[in-house]
C-alpha cells in the first residue's frame, strides 16, 4: 500500500523483493528524502469485489507478461493501489501465474508496499545499504500497448527476503512524475484524495530504521504485531467518505 504499495511489485508485481545498512549516515538520509509510501498490491481472484466493496474510482492498468491483469486505484497525493488477478485459463498458466494462484488460494491478499525515491542517487544509496543494485525490469503492458519499465531497489530479486517478507517496503523511482499511476484518468467511482491510515504488520523499530525516522513519522503508519505485511489501508475520497480496505497479508 504507502508510495505505499500494498498489493503486488505489488507493485513490481509479485516476483518482485534482514538487510545490510550503509555505514555512512548521509547515504542513509539521502535515500529517504522525499519518500512517499504506496500500498501497491492486493492480489485477488477477481477485481470486482474490491471495486464493489470500496466504490473507489479506478482504471484498467493493463497486464503483466504472465497474464496477470492490473487495475489501478488512485488514492491521492501520488499514492495508488494496484489490484491484480490472473486472467489466463488454468490449462495455460505459467509458473508465475501458478505462484500467484497459490498466494490467493484462501482469498484476496495484500502482497507488499513500496516507497518512491526522488532521484537515482537515492536509489543507489538504498541498493548500497540493503545489498544488490538498482534494477530496471519490464513492467505491465498498458491498454495502449506501451510497456512500463520499473526502476527498483534492492534488486534484482532481493526485495522478497530483504523487504516484503518482513513487512518492509522496497523502493522505486519514476523519472517523469507525470507518469505516476495516481494521476491517471478514472472510469468510474469515488476518487481517493488521501491515505489517512496505513496499517502494517512489522517490528516498529526495524521499520523505523529501514525507512528513516523522518519518513516513519510523516506517513500515516499504524504498526501492529503479528504476521508481517500490509493489513489495511484507509482512504479519504473526494466526496468526504473514509474507505478502509482490509485483507490478510499473503504468505510470501
Amino acid at each position: 500500500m504507502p508510495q505505499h504499495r500494498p498489493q503486488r511489485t505489488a507493485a513490481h508485481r509479485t516476483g518482485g523483493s534482514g538487510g545490510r545498512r550503509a555505514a555512512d549516515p548521509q547515504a542513509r538520509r539521502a535515500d529517504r528524502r522525499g519518500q512517499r509510501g504506496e500500498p501497491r498490491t492486493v492480489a485477488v481472484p477477481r477485481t470486482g469485489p474490491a471495486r464493489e466493496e470500496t466504490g473507489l474510482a479506478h482504471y484498467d492498468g493493463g497486464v503483466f507478461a504472465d497474464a496477470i491483469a492490473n487495475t489501478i486505484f488512485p488514492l491521492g497525493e501520488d499514492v495508488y493501489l494496484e489490484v491484480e488477478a490472473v486472467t489466463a485459463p488454468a490449462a495455460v498458466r505459467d509458473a508465475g501465474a501458478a505462484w500467484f494462484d497459490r498466494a490467493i488460494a484462501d482469498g484476496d491478499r495484500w502482497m507488499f508496499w513500496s516507497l518512491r525515491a526522488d532521484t537515482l542517487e537515492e536509489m543507489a544509496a538504498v541498493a548500497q545499504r540493503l545489498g544488490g543494485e538498482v534494477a530496471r525490469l519490464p513492467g505491465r503492458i498498458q491498454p495502449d500497448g506501451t510497456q512500463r519499465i520499473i526502476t527498483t531497489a534492492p534488486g534484482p530479486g532481493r526485495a522478497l527476503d530483504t523487504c516484503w517478507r518482513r513487512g518492509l517496503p522496497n523502493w522505486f523511482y519514476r523519472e517523469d512524475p507525470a507518469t505516476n499511476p495516481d494521476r491517471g484518468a478514472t472510469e468510474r467511482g469515488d476518487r481517493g484524495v488521501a491515505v489517512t491510515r496505513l496499517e502494517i504488520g512489522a517490528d516498529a523499530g526495524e521499520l523505523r530504521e529501514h525507512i528513516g525516522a523522518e519518513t516513519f513519522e510523516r506517513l500515516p503508519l499504524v504498526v501492529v504485531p503479528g504476521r508481517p505485511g500490509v493489513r489495511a489501508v484507509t482512504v479519504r475520497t473526494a466526496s468526504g467518505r473514509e474507505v478502509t480496505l482490509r485483507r490478510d497479508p499473503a504468505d510470501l
Side-chain angles (χ1 to χ4, degrees), residues 38-246:
E38 325 177 324
R40 263 177 94 184
T41 303
V42 173
V44 300
R46 305 172 313 284
T47 57
R51 295 194 297 258
E52 294 162 6
E53 175 182 341
T54 66
L56 289 172
H58 56 277
Y59 64 91
D60 181 6
V63 66
F64 288 94
D66 42 6
I68 295 176
N70 177 280
T71 300
I72 303 292
F73 288 72
L75 304 183
E77 300 177 336
D78 281 350
V79 179
Y80 60 95
L81 174 68
E82 296 187 72
V83 175
E84 297 167 353
V86 177
T87 58
V92 298
R93 293 184 182 183
D94 63 11
W99 182 93
F100 196 88
D101 280 341
R102 290 193 296 272
I104 59 174
D106 295 325
D108 300 358
R109 292 289 184 271
W110 291 116
M111 300 296 277
F112 57 84
W113 62 298
S114 300
L115 290 170
R116 186 186 72 244
D118 287 339
T119 68
L120 284 174
E121 289 75 17
E122 293 172 9
M123 292 291 285
V126 169
Q128 179 183 26
R129 180 166 59 91
L130 299 179
E133 59 190 44
V134 177
R136 286 175 56 83
L137 307 172
R140 55 189 169 85
I141 299 173
Q142 300 179 128
D144 65 3
T146 60
Q147 184 167 46
R148 295 180 74 103
I149 300 298
I150 298 165
T151 303
T152 181
R158 291 186 57 85
L160 186 62
D161 290 325
T162 303
C163 304
W164 300 338
R165 283 177 171 161
R166 295 156 61 189
L168 308 176
N170 66 314
W171 278 259
F172 71 96
Y173 168 74
R174 183 176 294 106
E175 183 174 5
D176 181 2
T179 65
N180 188 305
D182 179 59
R183 305 187 188 189
T186 55
E187 300 162 356
R188 64 186 72 84
D190 194 5
R191 191 168 185 120
V193 296
V195 172
T196 59
R197 176 184 171 100
L198 179 64
E199 188 175 316
I200 302 292
D203 177 273
E206 183 180 37
L207 178 56
R208 179 186 290 269
E209 172 67 13
H210 184 75
I211 67 176
E214 180 182 350
T215 300
F216 185 90
E217 296 299 332
R218 185 175 66 245
L219 296 177
L221 290 169
V222 176
V223 183
V224 298
R227 177 184 287 186
V230 178
R231 301 296 188 78
V233 178
T234 299
V235 183
R236 186 172 66 251
T237 71
S239 70
R241 293 189 304 137
E242 288 225 330
V243 176
T244 297
L245 185 62
R246 181 175 296 277

